[in-house]
Amino acid sequence: MSSLFSSVLLLVLMFTASVMADSTVNFYQDVEFYWGSQNANVSDGGKNLTMSLYNSSGCGFQSYNTYLFGRFDMHIMLVPNNSAGTVTTSYLSSQGLYHDEIDFEFLGNVSGQPYICHTNIFANGTGGREQQFYLWFDPTTDYHKFSVVWNPLRIVLMVNEIPIRVFNNNEAIGVPFPNSQPMNIYSSIWDGDSWATEGGRVKIDWADTPFVASFKNFIVNSCEDSSGLTSCGSSSSNSSITSIEALGAEELDTEILQELAWVEDNYMIYDYCADYERFPQGFPPECYQPRFMQ
């Protein structure tokens, strides 16, 4: 990494960390239910939300604001019991054909089976960078925190503060990276039984409707982008800023690398960078970088 680029990146990260606005999103005021609003139930003054899936419709929202870099936390309690075929999501996405996107998707299961956390990253309209993990806890009995940290150097996906995936900025070797398009925040619940559970073999049992996912503590630490303009406020969340600084370092520290290795060794069930059948002519360029540098 050139000294000039390193200096510029450090200034960007220092500025971002010093001016982050810690904002709890209100489900009454700050999001739009673009689909299935009749299946959304907002409570506690806009702090809590449930979204339900029926055979007639699911539900989804998007934030009014768009964001460029930051940390995005959502506490989610997933659909309990037989959730096979259902998909619950929390993700960031820009607009248009060449959009960027950072995905958490939770694939329902037959009762007693572990939930699958499906992740993907799009840059310039191209995805295909899937990694999947079993969750090491029951996500249906309590809320758990799912976080995206996104800065000019890398994207880190975290579960209960444990990093599960890193996608670094590898533009230097020709890999597109989301760093210029502000994104909205989205969540939804929908019918994905054509693929979600055992490749679509297990379908939704509509006798179990409604399927309900619950959301709260939706917190954004970011600069807002509104009508093309960026505005920032003062930070009130030292813990969030610390994590952004740590995950924005040129090299990840030992503790973070150990946590990533623990998740990969014990809970990763699919990695596009190990799918020889899908890439018989060779993996995407980032897959040849050192471990956790995809």
Side-chain angles (χ1 to χ4, degrees), residues 106-221:
F106 305 99
L107 311 185
N109 59 9
V110 179
S111 296
Q113 300 299 311
Y115 250 92
I116 291 175
C117 176
H118 176 97
T119 70
N120 200 359
I121 293 169
F122 287 73
N124 257 356
T126 301
R129 299 179 175 93
E130 300 91 346
Q131 289 183 348
Q132 292 184 341
F133 309 84
Y134 283 134
L135 295 176
W136 52 93
F137 50 84
D138 184 348
T140 71
T141 59
D142 202 354
Y143 288 89
H144 294 269
K145 184 194 287 187
F146 299 92
S147 307
V148 173
V149 174
W150 170 37
N151 59 48
L153 192 59
R154 62 175 58 89
I155 295 163
V156 183
L157 303 183
M158 298 192 295
V159 177
N160 291 335
E161 299 296 332
I162 296 175
I164 66 168
R165 179 174 185 177
V166 172
F167 186 81
N168 278 2
N169 185 336
N170 280 304
E171 289 181 305
I173 59 171
V175 180
F177 184 82
N179 58 12
S180 61
Q181 299 187 75
M183 300 198 216
N184 294 88
I185 305 167
Y186 296 81
S187 281
S188 62
I189 181 169
W190 52 281
D191 172 2
D193 76 358
S194 64
W195 69 280
T197 305
E198 298 184 25
R201 187 184 69 82
V202 183
K203 304 299 185 181
I204 291 179
D205 184 351
W206 293 109
D208 292 333
T209 55
F211 301 99
V212 181
S214 304
F215 304 79
K216 70 175 185 178
N217 294 344
F218 181 6
I219 298 175
V220 173
N221 287 275

Side-chain angles (χ1 to χ4, degrees), residues 95-99 124-126:
Q95 306 296 318
L97 180 63
Y98 299 103
H99 72 291
N124 257 356
T126 301

Side-chain angles (χ1 to χ4, degrees), residues 35 52-53 92 97 110 116 124 130 228 236 244 251-252 262 272 276:
W35 168 53
S52 300
L53 170 65
L92 288 83
L97 180 63
V110 179
I116 291 175
N124 257 356
E130 300 91 346
S236 62
I244 290 172
E251 294 186 6
L252 297 173
W262 175 77
Y272 75 109
Y276 291 93

